[in-house]
Amino acid sequence: MTLRIDISGLPSGRLRFAASPLAELTAMLHVLAEPGHHPRLAAWAADVWAGLRPELAERLREAEFLWRSSRADFLVPARPRPSLAEELDDVDRIDDETYVTAALVTTCGSNRVRFGAPSPLADATARERALDLAQARGALQEAFAERLLADPAAVRARVRHTLEQCAEAFFDAAWAGVAVRLATDLRLKHDLLKRQGIGAALASVSGAVTLAPDGDRIVVDKLQDNAIPAHGTGVTFLPSVFGHPHLVVIHAPGWQPVVQYPVAEPIPSEPVPLETVTLRLEALAHPVRLRLLRTLARGPHTTGELAHAWELTPPEVSRHLAVLRRAGLLTARRHGRYVRYTVNLPDLTALGADLLAAVLR
């Protein structure tokens, strides 16, 4: 599956490589929410959590849906600014409907709330559907969605204040060192773009990002199968130190395409028994099971959610999930009337860094 960004006729100046403080803060918040995705940063995450004031820790947990499984579009800027404050000012300029829709996409599940549908701020049916979807994701998601729909201005102000508190608590100190590494990477990208062209620059971003032979499309190996235009806006590439191994792509209608790519090197995996490797590779050999695993890598899902996402029947999904569970790649946990499936990241990591990166990006 691929995401294709149409750049035919796009001037070279509209392909932008830049660093974003807000996007890197969002990557750090994802590490704090999902440390299992980032083994080399586990110690950093533990230290940050240990040093957080209880109030800020609670604020991060109540809004983690904005960055845990996927990133809210407004947290990955298409036009980066030199400072976090300036980028947060840009977020404040987004209208409530756009902000709320982007927030609900991450709160309710990225494939469950569609852009262009009636606004849940104005349409009672859309509002109830959004709340139902949030409820299926858990009590915290439901509570956040209720607050967001009842008083978007208050939630927006609270989210901004939370991000500002993060800057004081850990981001400013981390950014001082990270910014140097990002600047080094950006110098390389700009030099490649100038001397060898867009193909070479894209190849240095990730093995999952290529230029189509005709030069008119950027092809990204992602869970989505979609084509989007970049004619009127361009494409922005944001390097990230804390983002490894994720390759984040913002491509919703109304948003300029943005690609946040990792600059860190992958970590070699530890060997596992041959019998275990064989069982797991056989489980992953089926394309449907691999798609389900890539969806589950973004966060826990129920059988019904997976069936809806891939237009499969629940029994068919259940059969594939059973194979993945027998291979030790999934865990099932019951929450009320819902059973959610989660990827066992340590076991997936043991299969190799390339597989882990392919599943998580």
Side-chain angles (χ1 to χ4, degrees):
M1 300 187 70
T2 60
L3 176 66
R4 301 166 300 282
I5 305 174
D6 186 354
I7 58 170
S8 56
L10 189 71
S12 59
R14 303 298 290 276
L15 188 72
R16 178 187 297 110
F17 285 87
S20 164
L22 178 56
E24 193 67 8
L25 171 55
T26 305
M28 293 181 190
L29 292 173
H30 171 75
V31 172
L32 293 177
E34 287 284 11
H37 288 191
H38 310 270
R40 70 182 183 86
L41 293 171
W44 174 85
D47 288 343
V48 170
W49 278 118
L52 290 181
R53 290 182 291 104
E55 178 195 0
L56 179 54
E58 180 60 30
R59 279 172 171 254
L60 291 182
R61 292 187 181 97
E62 75 178 25
E64 68 176 10
F65 324 109
L66 298 177
W67 49 74
R68 183 176 193 127
S69 299
S70 58
R71 313 290 199 274
D73 297 339
F74 50 79
L75 294 179
V76 187
R79 294 176 176 80
R81 306 286 190 178
S83 71
L84 178 63
E86 290 172 286
E87 291 186 325
L88 291 176
D89 287 343
D90 286 344
V91 174
D92 287 344
R93 297 184 184 98
I94 299 172
D95 63 85
D96 279 348
E97 184 170 329
T98 301
Y99 185 103
V100 168
T101 300
L104 288 176
V105 164
T106 58
T107 304
C108 301
S110 61
N111 61 340
R112 307 284 280 168
V113 177
R114 303 296 185 186
F115 284 87
S119 168
L121 289 178
D123 184 272
T125 301
R127 175 190 177 88
E128 288 304 313
R129 172 171 170 73
L131 292 175
D132 286 344
L133 294 173
Q135 182 185 47
R137 307 296 294 165
L140 289 177
Q141 285 97 324
E142 181 184 14
F144 182 84
E146 287 178 344
R147 292 193 300 272
L148 181 67
L149 291 171
D151 192 347
V155 171
R156 294 181 64 163
R158 185 173 177 84
V159 169
R160 171 165 183 155
H161 188 217
T162 298
L163 297 177
E164 291 170 337
Q165 288 182 311
C166 289
E168 298 174 6
F170 61 87
F171 173 73
D172 287 346
W175 177 251
V178 166
V180 176
R181 297 179 63 182
L182 298 183
T184 300
D185 181 81
L186 289 172
R187 283 194 294 271
L188 170 64
K189 298 298 187 291
H190 289 144
D191 184 66
L192 286 171
L193 191 60
K194 178 180 178 180
R195 298 179 183 276
Q196 300 183 40
I198 182 175
L202 294 178
S204 71
V205 166
S206 167
V209 181
T210 57
L211 183 66
D214 59 11
D216 286 343
R217 286 165 291 123
I218 297 172
V219 182
V220 186
D221 176 22
K222 286 289 290 181
L223 180 64
Q224 302 93 345
D225 186 11
N226 200 1
I228 56 173
H231 305 140
T233 58
V235 186
T236 299
F237 290 85
L238 307 175
S240 173
V241 169
F242 279 78
H244 181 271
H246 300 299
L247 186 67
V248 177
V249 184
I250 301 300
H251 60 91
W255 298 87
Q256 176 177 324
V258 182
V259 179
Q260 186 184 40
Y261 63 91
V263 299
E265 293 295 326
I267 301 174
S269 60
E270 293 294 328
V272 297
L274 178 60
E275 295 81 2
T276 302
V277 173
T278 301
L279 181 64
R280 291 174 178 172
L281 290 179
E282 288 175 350
L284 294 172
H286 197 291
V288 172
R289 289 197 285 272
L290 188 57
R291 291 178 183 180
L292 294 176
L293 193 69
R294 293 183 75 177
T295 302
L296 290 167
R298 304 177 69 177
H301 285 70
T302 65
T303 300
E305 289 175 323
L306 292 169
H308 176 87
W310 292 108
E311 297 182 349
L312 302 169
T313 65
E316 186 177 3
V317 171
S318 294
R319 288 194 294 272
H320 287 300
L321 294 179
V323 174
L324 291 169
R325 288 186 68 188
R326 284 196 296 270
L329 295 174
L330 296 183
T331 297
R333 292 186 176 87
R334 178 171 291 278
H335 299 269
R337 62 191 179 96
Y338 298 102
V339 175
R340 297 193 182 90
Y341 294 87
T342 306
V343 175
N344 293 332
L345 283 170
D347 297 312
L348 185 64
T349 302
L351 289 174
D354 289 342
L355 175 61
L356 179 67
V359 170
L360 291 180
R361 64 173 171 254

